[in-house]
Amino acid sequence: MKRVLVVLCVGLLFWIVLAGVALAQGWVKFLDSDKMLVDTSMYAKTPPWKIGFSNASISNSWRVFFARHVEYEASKHPEIAEFYVTDAQDNPTKQLADVEDLLAKGIDLLIISPATEAALNPAVEKAMEKGVPVVVVDRKVTTDAYVTFVESSNYQMGKIMAEWLAEKLGGKGNIVMLSGIAGAGPAEDRLKGAMDALKNYPGIKVLEQQYCEWSPVLGKQVMATLIQKYPQIDGVWADSALQGSGAIEALQEAGKPIPPVTGEDMNRYLKMWKEMGFEGVAVSFPTWQGQVAVQKAIDILNGIAVPRYVDCPRVIITKENLDKFVRMDLPDEFFMDSRLPEEWLPKR
Amino acid sequence: MLVALFVVAGIVSPIFYRPQNIFNVLQQASALGVVSVGQTLVILSGGIDLSIASIMATSCVFAAALMAGKNSMVIPITLFCLAIGALAGFLNGIITTRRNAPPFIVTLGTALIFQGIRFVYTKGAPFGSIPSWLRFLGRGGIGFVPASVIIFLFLALVMEAILQRSAYGRKIYAVGDNKVAALYSGINVPNIILSVYALSGIFAAFGGLVLAGYLGFGDNWAGKGYELDAIAAVVVGGTSLAGGEGGMGGTVVGVLLITILSNIVLLAGLPYQFQQIVKGLVVAAAVIFYSFVKVSGERR
Amino acid sequence: MKQEEALRMVNISKYFPGVKALDRVTFTVNQGEVHALVGENGAGKSTLMKILAGALQPDEGEIYLEGEKVFIPTPQSAWERGISIIYQELNLLPDLNVVQNIFLGREHRGRLRVLSYSTMIREAESLLARVGVGIAPQTMVRNLSVAQQQQVEIAKALSLNAKILVMDEPTASLSETEVEKLFGIIRDLKSKGVTIVYISHRLEEVFRIADRVTVLKDGKCIGTYSIGELDRDKLVKLMVGRSFSETFPEKAKETGPMVVEVRNLSVPRILKNVNFSVRAGEIVGFFGLVGSGRTDLAKALFGFYPHYSGEIVVKGKTVKLHSPQRAIAEGVGFAPEDRKSEGLCLGLSVKDNCVMAVLDEMRSTFFLNRRRETGLVQKFVADLRIKTPHFYQRVQNLSGGNQQKVVLAKWLATRPDFLIFDEPTRGIDVGAKQEIYHLMRQLASQGKAILMISSELPEVIGMSDRIYVMHDGAIVREFGWGERVDEERIMYFAAGLHVER
């Protein structure tokens, strides 16, 4: 019993230290070095290749689409003899073990979408030490030990949404902000981008900012209460269509005209937008960054220089090009800024 | 306690008393209420059910996918979802009784199984839509009373009558108080335990449908956190986690209390996450309160 | 040769609520002897040994070890002073191996506090060799037989440098050859100067192994005798001879038809070919020592051993009692030994407990009929004179006697033909005992067949019309109607002494 306690305590301490490291390390340096090209001639190898993809999870539809893009792109390259995929189920400890397994299989390159930022540092460091180049995608690690980092800037996404909203309101009005999970990297980055943008619009008043845990149920419940609390809500900034779609439900049921609401390329939001006809904008958080990651991986194994940092350009969907993206026949949780051919879409 | 909370709520924000806000609160309480009714049965029998949230989400996702917006499908698919809930509960019950395994672990396992089932089924992206009849259940109302809360209160009332007035209800109390003595009194203890888990599964599936109606689409994580909220509501309502003591009346109060707390936290302009702290404090206060009541009751 | 005194416990008293468990007991053991401690169930043997082991504190009295006055506040301090007890239920951890068990909590550590496992294995081997057994030190305890586990316990005691080794019913679950082996070990330890206190119900063993015997009865010390002074009959007389003042209701004058007849009832390893019968109107007593199978017999009759073999006939019809529900349906009622954990739902009300076994009969359509329910409870509360402020009182707030009456009410509600009482008066004060006795007799005279299990001899003799004595899962003797019976004779069979003759 005592021994179990000791192990638990040590484990806990370990965690605290890791968390501390994560907070202490600045991550801004990515942005400074984003123009830099990395020489990859040392990683060049003649095919066939073995590539490992360590995914954090496929626990929501965005991650499903993301993973599909990775697998789709991999399937297009006959040079890849083996393409191993692991799913860490959002558990960093499992992901550490996954990477160990992949390395043991003798992979030539590792693509990793980390479950949390700092916890996966040892895994990527070990891979790089063994001479296995690492492509980090979607979420970052806090060590420098990788070749390239592919993402789509959450900061930019939040910023563009906020700018659109402020412009739509003519620089004047009361808004409500609905974020994802408190402390989660993407949520905080999007919020930071939005807040920076709003500094330029002194006429915009943020009535309240709440975290809704990327849950449609919570989005609707929180919005329903806020509608009671504030008689005049001119706009809603939602960092994702998950709580955004819940909020739109609440706004619709309140019986007043729906104010401008921001969203992303999730089909559910696009469908609601098209059906209800409110003012909307969708800024995509491209699911195809997974595809880009595989392309960069192939460049690396071919010895072609790759940028240290890749920001996949987001698509901005407005009233004008909405019809090009929305598909009333497809499921709610499809992401429409997709580069998957029809047969690669998740099938029932 | 509920009355005190009503007063406090009014002081924090007069908006609380607005009919529309009360409507919202009652509506939000309903799904939690329905699953808490099931959880009460399980806890009274001396068990615990952590698979509720997973069953809710599974039922929600299946409802959207299989009803596909058609009112004609509402009744058959509702029955299908309830059957899935019953199956999950049956699984909980059979493993708990046959293998004498701790329900905490068993129900957690069932939760994972059903999470897996719905992800395999939806491939991670739920599809379909919720027909208007089911939407009425989740968000419609008769005057200023939400339809869902009427159903919740009706279910609570029926179950309370069964608990207090039927042989089956009394057996649940007996099993919860002392399984061995119940066995020695000729009560078929495994069957009783099996049945409460099955009922809890059915209530959870129904709660998932209420939530689907409220939300309007299938969500893979609908009902997330409801299993712990339901336990909190049951405990705050005075049902003993040791089993054999408590009832539905307390659970109704507990459910309303927890939902109102979330509402007040938002009305007061506190971060939503603050409600977790408040919820925790209320549960702790309730536990301490009931332990005092119990001690003083014993002295009589 | 004047022997050195190893242990002297002087004027030890211990009170439990309402009971005087030990009343100024003095107990002296000499160095290097095997000293038997005997007495009936509840005579105080275990309490005395728990005090010696530091598990209980005496309310008065002193303990001397080798002439020096000591206090034993905890089990640890008992070990430190060289006192080890091997309880009847062995205390080894089944999922650890022999070495780990022997050195549990005091593992040898080398440099850097690392476990020095090899040292421990070597030491365990030499300890086991001292006990004279060949058990591989790294075997899991789970895989050992009971006898082997006991040998490990002895080795463990030796590793603690035990000077006094107390063995509580060590032969209870051993086979004949294993007993022989154990006696060999005991004699060997004795020759090495270890003092042994040997507690046993099996008097024939006492005569074989002990040097001296101390007899306890009703918490008092009757005396210490050298084994040569005694013979079997004399020892039994010392153990049970008493003057008791309890009065019992008059016995049955006549009996009705046969209600229960049991033929060749066997449950593997538990019951062996049990044959008996109970008629309407009679109280049949079952006496047996701990482990004799008396409670198992009751459980078998109540459907807890569905895989029994043999035949149970209730009112002329052969029945299959595969579950308690089945047993109840056949008119069997069972008031179990442990009221609090088996007989009652303590947190529920008097009313709920009274109707618990007949809930399904209380229904009209779906819901329970309240009037019928309260009528029933009212009747029993009045008939049995259950003292409770109201029907909704929690049973845990009632006294032991009233709790037992609630159990009785629960069974009477099922209108049984055959009632089993297991230790009906355990933990009940004298006045309430009388009431329970009279209620039982009243029930019998109303035509119920009653089987009473008891470990209190006066109760068995005072209450029963006929008596069956059990030993080792079998009935070894029946005392029929009007047959001369006394405590000595019952104890003689219960202790298994008849086997020797």
Side-chain angles (χ1 to χ4, degrees), chain C residues 27-46:
Chain C
F27 179 55
T28 311
V29 183
N30 289 339
Q31 200 99 54
E33 71 172 344
V34 176
H35 194 123
L37 187 59
V38 299
E40 281 183 283
N41 295 338
K45 296 169 301 205
S46 302

Side-chain angles (χ1 to χ4, degrees), chain B residues 46-268:
Chain B
I48 200 152
D49 190 350
L50 296 181
S51 62
I52 282 177
S54 188
I55 298 173
M56 285 177 89
T58 308
S59 155
C60 177
V61 163
F62 273 107
L66 298 175
M67 289 180 190
K70 291 194 284 287
N71 275 336
S72 58
M73 294 300 281
V74 168
I75 290 169
I77 300 306
T78 297
L79 293 178
F80 174 73
C81 288
L82 298 186
I84 287 184
L87 178 74
F90 187 77
L91 201 65
N92 284 330
I94 205 96
I95 302 174
T96 312
T97 52
R98 285 289 151 77
R99 305 306 313 158
N100 203 12
F104 192 87
I105 305 296
V106 173
T107 56
L108 205 57
T110 304
L112 289 176
I113 292 172
F114 278 79
Q115 180 185 324
I117 288 176
R118 69 175 182 271
F119 271 94
V120 168
Y121 180 68
T122 61
K123 302 274 189 299
F127 47 90
S129 63
I130 305 294
S132 59
W133 289 5
L134 192 57
R135 294 242 53 190
F136 178 78
L137 173 72
R139 65 172 180 175
I142 298 160
F144 261 105
V145 187
S148 50
V149 87
I150 295 175
I151 290 177
F152 156 45
L153 293 178
F154 173 74
L155 289 175
L157 204 69
V158 168
M159 290 320 291
E160 176 70 0
I162 288 176
L163 277 178
Q164 304 306 335
R165 304 274 324 269
S166 78
Y168 173 67
R170 296 289 189 75
K171 287 177 184 175
I172 293 178
Y173 278 100
V175 169
D177 187 85
N178 186 341
K179 283 189 181 57
V180 181
L183 193 68
Y184 273 79
S185 303
I187 293 173
N188 193 334
V189 175
N191 279 6
I192 298 287
I193 293 179
L194 200 63
S195 69
V196 294
Y197 280 107
L199 279 173
S200 176
I202 292 171
F203 281 114
F206 190 70
L209 293 176
V210 171
L211 212 52
Y214 177 69
L215 202 55
F217 38 80
D219 179 31
N220 259 329
W221 295 106
K224 197 175 177 188
Y226 273 55
E227 72 275 52
L228 297 181
D229 278 0
I231 294 168
V234 172
V235 171
V236 167
T239 296
S240 158
L241 273 181
E245 199 185 335
M248 289 299 166
T251 298
V252 171
V253 173
V255 166
L256 292 176
L257 206 94
I258 283 196
T259 316
I260 290 173
L261 276 176
S262 308
N263 187 253
I264 299 181
V265 163
L266 276 177
L267 289 180

Side-chain angles (χ1 to χ4, degrees), chain B residues 158 160-191 244-245 294 297-300, chain C residues 299 302 304 324-325 328 334 336 339-348 351-352 355-360 363 366-370 373 390 393-394 396-397 410-411:
Chain B
V158 168
E160 176 70 0
I162 288 176
L163 277 178
Q164 304 306 335
R165 304 274 324 269
S166 78
Y168 173 67
R170 296 289 189 75
K171 287 177 184 175
I172 293 178
Y173 278 100
V175 169
D177 187 85
N178 186 341
K179 283 189 181 57
V180 181
L183 193 68
Y184 273 79
S185 303
I187 293 173
N188 193 334
V189 175
N191 279 6
E245 199 185 335
K294 208 168 177 184
E298 232 98 289
R299 294 230 181 88
R300 262 188 301 138
Chain C
K299 285 187 173 175
F302 200 60
F304 278 111
Q325 289 94 304
I328 292 170
F334 179 29
R339 230 175 6 255
K340 290 189 168 142
S341 72
E342 298 167 342
L344 293 166
C345 286
L346 289 177
L348 300 186
K351 173 170 149 265
D352 286 345
V355 298
M356 193 166 286
V358 287
L359 278 170
D360 290 320
R363 281 193 301 214
F366 182 73
F367 287 121
L368 297 168
N369 184 329
R370 268 190 203 166
E373 242 185 325
H390 44 80
Q393 176 75 335
R394 285 182 185 213
Q396 68 191 18
N397 297 335
K410 172 165 87 180
W411 290 114

Side-chain angles (χ1 to χ4, degrees), chain C residues 11 62 308 418:
Chain C
N11 285 333
E62 289 151 2
Y308 67 86
F418 177 48

Side-chain angles (χ1 to χ4, degrees), chain A residues 59 61 64 210-211 213 216-218 220-221 224-225 228-229 245 249 253 268 331-333 347-348, chain B residues 15 18 20 24 28 119 123-124 126-127 135 139 214-215 217 219 221 263 266-267 269-273:
Chain A
S59 64
S61 46
V64 171
Q210 287 287 355
Y211 291 96
E213 306 186 355
V217 177
L218 264 186
K220 184 170 179 183
Q221 293 186 348
T225 307
Q228 293 305 310
K229 194 171 165 189
S245 53
E249 276 271 321
E253 280 169 28
R268 179 191 297 157
D332 280 347
E333 295 212 354
K347 283 277 149 49
R348 298 181 193 180
Chain B
I15 298 165
R18 271 196 214 158
Q20 185 60 43
N24 287 346
Q28 289 168 16
F119 271 94
K123 302 274 189 299
F127 47 90
R135 294 242 53 190
R139 65 172 180 175
Y214 177 69
L215 202 55
F217 38 80
D219 179 31
W221 295 106
N263 187 253
L266 276 177
L267 289 180
L270 297 168
Y272 186 74
Q273 280 56 38

